Amino acid sequence: MKMKGKTVVITGGANGIGAVAAELFGKQGAQVAIIDFNENAGEKLAARLHAQGIEAAFFKTNVAKDSEVKSTAEKVLAHFGKVDVLINNAGITRDAMLLKMESETFQQVIDVNLTGVFHCTQAFLPAMLEVGKGKIINTSSIAGLGGNVGQTNYAASKAGIVGMTRTWAKEFGRKGINVNAVSPGFIETDMIGTIPEKVLAHIKQMTPFTRLGRPEDIANAYLFLASDDADFINGTVLEVDGGMLK
Ligand code: NAI
């Protein structure tokens, strides 16, 4: 029970990695606030977690909208009374080669993946500062560290996450807040659903373990960084990609 009594906020928590993380944290004793704009999936997940005896609540929110995030933070604090861990996991892709990428598509990905993390951290950090302890975990990507064809917008957003993570680690370390990031490789979720089989086979071959990652692989990394075991880890980017980037 590594998370007993902790309140954990997970953005993009309704599906994929976030949903698996919500269940894992719940099983480890946490109260879980699921933040997502997919109401149907979010409500269903909260109900499924409840049925397992996990204290979970869903808060419909578009992380790209500052006012929605602020109002959700107030609701989460009113509901759970505190927040110990924030996992900035919500993310989207809108891929195109550079010369074909529209400015709106570029901005859309930045708004969710980068500005969304800025909004959520601004909204939830004050409650952590008040008690002088907290863990913030951001989600970068192998594309942010190594670049990826067709992902100018996505790679830029995920590289930006690294800069914000290291900046916040320096700004808030002395106030008792750890800020770290996880950088997933290619993980079996809806996000990679549009990648053709042939390309996926190539990706597996490029990975020393010759497989894709599973959502559990990332959820376990979130759990480690959120736990007391990681109290002296700050400003790091944990690569969970099976060694693909090396
Ligand atoms: P997913 O597509 O399965 O789930 C993403 C969740 O975020 C969905 O529930 C979606 O509704 C939510 N979301 C999207 N935009 C939102 C918004 N504006 N406001 C609130 N919620 C929003 O994706 P997956 O794979 O679980 O990704 C989770 C994180 O991991 C993302 O940040 C992604 O960029 C990152 N990642 C994923 C990789 C992969 O191969 N699946 C690789 C590297 C990073």
Side-chain angles (χ1 to χ4, degrees):
M1 284 280 183
K2 282 186 184 287
M3 288 290 124
K4 200 165 170 42
K6 306 265 187 202
T7 300
V8 180
V9 174
I10 305 179
T11 75
N15 292 291
I17 294 166
V20 169
E23 185 165 354
L24 176 68
F25 276 77
K27 283 182 175 161
Q28 291 289 327
Q31 294 103 44
V32 188
I34 301 157
I35 291 183
D36 206 292
F37 65 6
N38 185 334
E39 190 166 18
N40 188 29
E43 292 290 8
K44 268 195 193 143
L45 176 65
R48 191 162 65 73
L49 298 187
H50 267 292
Q52 298 176 52
I54 293 166
E55 211 186 309
F58 172 67
F59 301 86
K60 186 179 183 221
T61 317
N62 179 352
V63 297
K65 299 237 157 85
D66 196 21
S67 57
E68 277 190 37
V69 172
K70 285 209 168 83
S71 135
T72 291
E74 280 168 20
K75 287 182 199 151
V76 169
L77 285 165
H79 189 92
F80 290 115
K82 64 184 180 113
V83 56
D84 301 291
V85 178
L86 168 65
I87 304 179
N88 283 309
N89 165 83
I92 57 167
T93 53
R94 296 288 183 272
D95 297 354
M97 297 299 277
L98 173 64
L99 295 180
K100 294 208 166 135
M101 187 175 282
E102 314 233 335
S103 180
E104 295 85 65
T105 316
F106 180 85
Q107 196 57 46
Q108 202 181 356
V109 170
I110 297 293
D111 286 350
V112 176
N113 295 9
L114 191 64
T115 317
V117 174
F118 167 76
H119 291 153
C120 291
T121 304
Q122 263 198 342
F124 286 101
L125 179 68
M128 296 180 180
L129 290 173
E130 235 170 72
V131 295
K133 191 165 169 62
K135 297 254 159 73
I136 296 170
I137 299 154
N138 299 325
T139 311
S140 182
S141 166
I142 191 166
L145 305 184
N148 196 26
V149 172
Q151 293 200 309
T152 295
N153 47 6
Y154 185 78
S157 71
K158 295 301 187 177
I161 294 275
V162 174
M164 294 204 299
T165 300
R166 298 206 161 123
T167 297
W168 297 339
K170 287 180 175 156
E171 284 189 14
F172 302 109
R174 66 191 61 227
K175 307 236 160 95
I177 316 293
N178 302 60
V179 188
N180 292 294
V182 172
S183 173
F186 289 82
I187 312 298
E188 285 170 327
T189 67
D190 290 348
M191 183 169 271
I192 63 163
T194 54
I195 301 180
E197 263 316 311
K198 241 174 89 178
V199 178
L200 284 179
H202 177 67
I203 288 168
K204 286 181 200 167
Q205 281 317 309
M206 302 272 293
T207 309
F209 288 125
T210 61
R211 70 162 173 91
L212 298 174
R214 302 179 187 109
E216 291 77 7
D217 294 320
I218 307 306
N220 281 322
Y222 288 161
L223 180 65
F224 167 64
L225 290 173
S227 74
D228 294 344
D229 296 339
D231 272 356
F232 201 56
I233 300 179
N234 196 24
T236 199
V237 180
L238 180 57
E239 292 169 31
V240 186
D241 60 10
M244 189 185 181
L245 195 65
K246 296 288 180 283

